[in-house]
Amino acid sequence: GNRGDALLAEEDRSFQQYAPFRFFKYNDAIARFKSAWLAARDAARYRLGLVSTTLDGSPFSPNGDGRRESSRLTASLQAWDPTNGARARTEWTILDSSGAALRTIVDERPIPAGSGLVSFTATLDWDGRGSAGTVVPDGQYNFRVGSAYLPPGSAADPVNGTLSGQVTLDTTPPAVTIS
């Protein structure tokens, strides 16, 4: 195997050592628990962790009719003991079916003050446009989101992981039949 496989195997051993999950009855519960555990671990290690992404509005239809003009992508994040004035940078990348980046949108926002694990969200309303400013063709698109912690007055930490998903864009008007 390669180094990436070895790191994943080490992460899995670490998870099993610190979070026994024999009492879980269903695999989806195990997956949700493991995802939350890894996000909390990443937040402690890297100061900011991605927990999950949600998608509202797929398929969507940016055709100018005023209905379902955008798709809302939301990332749930957690920061560990954020420094007062710290910011989170969230990078959203829209990819075509070949994996080529069509558009990257960067969002920076203050991290809510708090101690311990602080949860918050970052949201993107994608209007179906690529970097040239025009609506991309109908089809399935992938999105990738990554985050980085920005301490006050210094350079950002490296992006510490990404999550991804799919969104469908369809500008075809509905067919109307009168009988």
Side-chain angles (χ1 to χ4, degrees), residues 59-74:
F60 73 109
S61 181
N63 59 10
D65 68 357
R67 291 184 284 164
R68 299 183 68 93
E69 294 292 321
S70 66
S71 185
R72 175 164 284 188
L73 310 170
T74 303

Side-chain angles (χ1 to χ4, degrees), residues 53-123:
T53 58
T54 56
L55 171 64
D56 181 26
S58 181
F60 73 109
S61 181
N63 59 10
D65 68 357
R67 291 184 284 164
R68 299 183 68 93
E69 294 292 321
S70 66
S71 185
R72 175 164 284 188
L73 310 170
T74 303
S76 298
L77 300 111
Q78 292 180 330
W80 183 258
D81 278 337
T83 306
N84 191 22
R87 300 179 64 75
R89 178 176 38 222
T90 309
E91 295 179 10
W92 303 88
T93 304
I94 308 298
L95 308 156
D96 66 14
S97 59
S98 71
L102 298 176
R103 185 173 176 189
T104 298
I105 301 161
V106 177
D107 173 67
E108 285 188 17
R109 65 184 60 236
I111 297 174
S115 61
L117 204 54
V118 177
S119 298
F120 61 103
T121 60
T123 302

Side-chain angles (χ1 to χ4, degrees), residues 24-179:
F24 281 102
K25 191 172 179 182
Y26 302 103
N27 284 337
D28 63 331
I30 293 169
R32 283 194 310 271
F33 182 75
K34 185 174 181 181
S35 176
W37 181 85
L38 290 173
R41 189 237 29 226
D42 283 351
R45 184 185 295 170
Y46 301 109
R47 298 189 279 187
L48 184 68
L50 281 166
V51 178
S52 64
T53 58
T54 56
L55 171 64
D56 181 26
S58 181
F60 73 109
S61 181
N63 59 10
D65 68 357
R67 291 184 284 164
R68 299 183 68 93
E69 294 292 321
S70 66
S71 185
R72 175 164 284 188
L73 310 170
T74 303
S76 298
L77 300 111
Q78 292 180 330
W80 183 258
D81 278 337
T83 306
N84 191 22
R87 300 179 64 75
R89 178 176 38 222
T90 309
E91 295 179 10
W92 303 88
T93 304
I94 308 298
L95 308 156
D96 66 14
S97 59
S98 71
L102 298 176
R103 185 173 176 189
T104 298
I105 301 161
V106 177
D107 173 67
E108 285 188 17
R109 65 184 60 236
I111 297 174
S115 61
L117 204 54
V118 177
S119 298
F120 61 103
T121 60
T123 302
L124 167 69
D125 288 319
W126 184 43
D127 60 2
R129 298 181 187 282
S131 60
T134 58
V135 175
V136 298
D138 290 359
Q140 284 272 3
Y141 293 90
N142 296 309
F143 66 88
R144 184 176 59 219
V145 59
S147 65
Y149 182 88
L150 288 85
S154 58
D157 287 352
V159 171
N160 64 5
T162 58
L163 294 174
S164 59
Q166 277 192 332
V167 61
T168 301
L169 186 147
D170 183 2
T171 58
T172 308
V176 177
T177 56
I178 301 174
S179 40

